[in-house]
Amino acid sequence: MTKKKDVLQPSLWTARPVEETISVYAAWADTYDAEVQARGYRTPARLAAALAQHAQLDAEILDFGCGTGIGGAALHKAGFAQMDGTDVTVEMLEIAAETGLYDKTWLSTPGALSFAKGDYDVIVAVGVISLGAAPPETLAPLVAKLATGGLLALSYNGPTLEDESYANALGTEVSAGHVEVIFREHGPHLEDVGMGSDVIILRRR
């Protein structure tokens, strides 16, 4: 039986090269869902519930950094039905594609966004722009892909909230007038270790 303290990789929330991040998640793909659920992973459901209060349920959604599809499952449960998914880790993406939650999935190239501005009403990045995953520089290009009125729903977990580079990335987009924060709430992320996260919804100006 796996002990809870051993469920997640101890160095998960540390900055690393993108190639190393991909390797971490590739090795984790087969057991990821069971392990994070065992920890009481609450952020996807919290984000989906918040988004349902601010977006139409028939919105075209991109689940950016969809991983195995945990976020997509939460969105589907909240009533959203039109979703595409993309991820940089092929092993994770294969599992997501098999869920049947997504209209289409594709393998992303780190640093490149292969879709046009306005293609999606909503971009979701749950647990993606965070310490140990995508760098803070990921935020601005995602914002730029939204048409006026489009939404970006994301989350910052505890370690990410403590890293000022992520706060600065968000602050820059807000102060530049690119987006407005229409929802932000702190709540549980991984319950068994008492870690929280902020769920944030941005609207493109």
Side-chain angles (χ1 to χ4, degrees):
M1 181 176 178
T2 303
K3 296 179 181 179
K4 283 189 174 182
K5 68 178 182 179
D6 297 328
V7 168
L8 297 185
Q9 313 220 8
S11 61
L12 185 62
W13 298 291
T14 57
R16 62 172 65 86
V18 64
E19 295 82 8
E20 186 177 339
T21 297
I22 291 171
S23 294
V24 167
Y25 283 93
W28 200 8
D30 287 342
T31 59
Y32 178 84
D33 286 15
E35 292 183 2
V36 297
Q37 288 168 359
R39 282 243 149 143
Y41 185 32
R42 299 293 178 249
T43 299
R46 290 176 48 230
L47 184 147
L51 187 60
Q53 302 302 311
H54 295 277
Q56 298 295 318
L57 294 180
D58 62 354
E60 294 280 355
I61 296 177
L62 175 62
D63 189 0
F64 180 79
C66 65
T68 58
I70 285 181
L75 291 165
H76 186 267
K77 188 174 182 179
F80 296 102
Q82 301 184 72
M83 293 180 287
D84 294 343
T86 187
D87 201 272
V88 297
T89 304
V90 64
E91 292 83 356
M92 288 272 191
L93 191 65
E94 288 173 349
I95 294 171
E98 290 172 0
T99 66
L101 293 166
Y102 301 99
D103 296 325
K104 68 176 180 179
T105 58
W106 74 91
L107 185 65
S108 300
T109 300
L113 299 178
S114 57
F115 56 96
K117 179 176 181 177
D119 275 356
Y120 295 97
D121 304 311
V122 180
I123 299 173
V124 170
V126 59
V128 176
I129 306 171
S130 61
L131 194 63
E137 294 80 15
T138 308
L139 182 62
L142 284 178
V143 166
K145 289 292 187 177
L146 293 171
T148 300
L151 302 180
L152 173 59
L154 67 152
S155 63
Y156 279 179
N157 61 29
T160 303
L161 290 168
E162 294 173 2
D163 187 310
E164 66 177 16
S165 64
Y166 287 90
N168 290 342
L170 177 57
T172 295
E173 291 303 297
V174 173
S175 62
H178 298 159
V179 293
E180 61 178 323
V181 178
I182 62 170
F183 179 89
R184 184 165 186 167
E185 182 179 77
H186 191 75
H189 178 59
L190 295 173
E191 287 188 323
D192 80 334
V193 291
M195 184 183 292
S197 66
D198 280 12
V199 165
I200 305 163
I201 302 178
L202 308 175
R203 179 183 288 127
R204 184 75 160 104
R205 289 185 166 180

